[in-house]
Amino acid sequence: MSEFAFELALCAHLESGDGPVSGDGIVARQLGASVADPGGRILDVVYVEPGPAFDDRAAITSDAIPDAAIESTVGPGRWRYWKSAFDCHPDRARRATDRALEVGFFESRPRNGREYVRQVARYPDWYGRLVGIENKPDLGRPGDLEAQLRTDVSLALVDEIVLATESYVTRAHLNRIPEEVGVWRVHRDDSGDDGAATALEIEVVREPTPLTVDDPGIEPLASHPARTEVAVVDADEKARKRRRIAERAYGKGWRTYGLPDCVQCDPDDSSGATLPWCAWAGRIVDAGSECGPSCPGYDPATTPEADLEAERDRRTPWVAEPSGKQRRQSGLDRFG
Ligand code: SF4
């Protein structure tokens, strides 16, 4: 199974609530999880547990709320001149203001030729624990696995980090990765017809140990023969990054793939999520990188219809069209 197919099947399974995490939270994939070296570490899958005010967050917007807007002194009460509410470069402040208006976190009104803004609702305490999952279907081809997991443990940005694999996990494997890392072995049921290919079961080989997210973390940057360059990331920076991860996860989710415009594509929804199954290849395919005229099995067709956003709305606590948003839109229409 390719890493891509493994990742989608795992996300669908976690979302179903039949896996080791409850399905009450947000599953997302491919999220940045480093601070000093942005983009230096990408987590394959993140599971965000709901916090006490999850519903309040869902009621604001279906999109990610920009961090600068949350950090600003714009609140839900008094109208503020946008420029004086940010402690950052005016260009960044403007971008954050525009985006916050676009997604419906801010509302605005003109006064004396200036634009004043306020939050539509106070930013809620909406997320709990963050679980990071590193996918390595085949431990025989580990790549940078050990270094990545060591980074996750020493930076401790997520509450728990887990390795998910299809391989049989030996004592030697366990000894090579930090003891805080949990290990899931994923079993696939290939016995049935096409759809059964995504039926998974997860065996918890080792439970993760909670990481110290409230303390400063150490982020390894570069390795040299005799030394490793590191950055110390303080607790406040980590808290901000955790919020960005949660927001990004909320806005993005994991259905960020396309379906192939090919006769052979026979979307598999046996898991309750629509996955890009190819009958010719006999597996889930990545339309973006595998499909098209260069594939020997390609037979052009109309892209199968699937509303992945509606599916996410139906199957998860994420809300595609929160009522607050609808109210604002009808409010805008009045002045349109
Ligand atoms: S282009 Fe190839 S891999 Fe993609 S759906 Fe068609 S046959 Fe399958």
Side-chain angles (χ1 to χ4, degrees):
M1 201 180 204
S2 71
E3 288 205 16
F4 177 79
F6 183 84
E7 196 164 295
L8 296 197
L10 182 67
C11 286
H13 186 68
L14 295 178
E15 184 181 273
S16 74
D18 292 336
V21 296
S22 78
D24 305 338
I26 296 291
V27 180
R29 64 188 189 92
Q30 299 294 314
L31 299 182
S34 45
V35 179
D37 175 22
R41 176 77 178 109
I42 307 289
L43 280 172
D44 289 330
V45 178
V46 173
Y47 176 71
V48 181
E49 275 188 357
F54 184 94
D55 292 346
D56 294 341
R57 169 65 187 82
I60 295 174
T61 172
S62 57
D63 292 296
I65 298 174
D67 200 56
I70 301 169
E71 290 251 294
S72 73
T73 57
V74 176
R78 194 161 64 90
W79 293 94
R80 299 282 315 263
Y81 174 44
W82 71 272
K83 217 175 202 174
S84 53
F86 286 83
D87 184 18
C88 61
H89 191 281
D91 290 349
R92 181 162 184 252
R94 189 62 244 178
R95 277 198 304 276
T97 301
D98 287 343
R99 185 65 188 150
L101 287 165
E102 199 179 315
V103 302
F105 181 51
F106 284 179
E107 54 190 344
S108 75
R109 73 176 187 192
R111 191 193 286 169
N112 303 328
R114 288 177 156 189
E115 185 179 22
Y116 281 67
V117 291
R118 70 178 183 189
Q119 293 177 349
V120 298
R122 188 174 298 286
Y123 187 74
D125 177 16
W126 72 270
Y127 56 89
R129 289 181 326 140
L130 308 183
V131 180
I133 300 147
E134 178 64 23
N135 295 330
K136 196 52 71 182
D138 181 3
L139 288 179
R141 292 185 295 160
D144 289 338
L145 180 67
E146 287 175 43
Q148 288 169 333
L149 295 175
R150 273 200 299 275
T151 296
D152 297 335
V153 169
S154 67
L155 182 55
L157 204 52
V158 291
D159 297 83
E160 291 177 355
I161 183 83
V162 172
L163 165 67
T165 182
E166 282 198 289
S167 297
Y168 176 71
V169 183
T170 65
R171 174 73 25 212
H173 287 132
L174 292 178
N175 287 342
R176 273 202 294 274
I177 60 174
E179 62 184 13
E180 294 88 345
V181 177
V183 179
W184 295 344
R185 185 164 179 219
V186 177
H187 299 275
R188 211 162 13 123
D189 178 4
D190 283 333
S191 57
D193 55 14
D194 294 352
T198 53
L200 301 185
E201 245 183 63
I202 296 179
E203 172 196 352
V204 178
V205 176
R206 183 168 80 187
E207 293 282 358
T209 305
L211 303 174
T212 52
V213 293
D214 296 331
D215 291 346
I218 304 292
E219 182 176 332
L221 296 177
S223 283
H224 305 286
R227 68 194 165 87
T228 302
E229 281 174 45
V230 301
V232 177
V233 180
D234 69 33
D236 288 347
E237 286 179 285
K238 281 174 54 173
R240 275 198 296 275
K241 183 68 186 184
R242 283 168 58 79
R243 188 174 61 205
R244 278 203 291 274
I245 291 174
E247 277 299 329
R248 191 92 179 94
Y250 190 85
K252 186 179 182 191
W254 62 271
R255 289 173 173 82
T256 51
Y257 50 85
L259 296 173
D261 59 344
C262 172
V263 169
Q264 297 293 343
C265 177
D266 180 15
D268 166 21
D269 60 2
S270 60
S271 61
T274 304
L275 301 176
W277 177 265
C278 165
W280 178 80
R283 58 180 172 79
I284 293 169
V285 292
D286 182 355
S289 65
E290 296 183 81
C291 299
S294 60
C295 169
Y298 181 61
D299 187 355
T302 310
T303 306
E305 268 190 37
D307 188 340
L308 299 180
E309 195 172 290
E311 185 176 274
R312 187 182 184 204
D313 186 47
R314 207 168 49 243
R315 285 179 49 85
T316 77
W318 175 83
V319 179
E321 285 286 340
S323 54
K325 196 171 180 178
Q326 284 165 358
R327 246 198 333 270
R328 277 191 304 282
Q329 281 171 346
S330 55
L332 284 175
D333 290 346
R334 276 209 314 277
F335 299 104

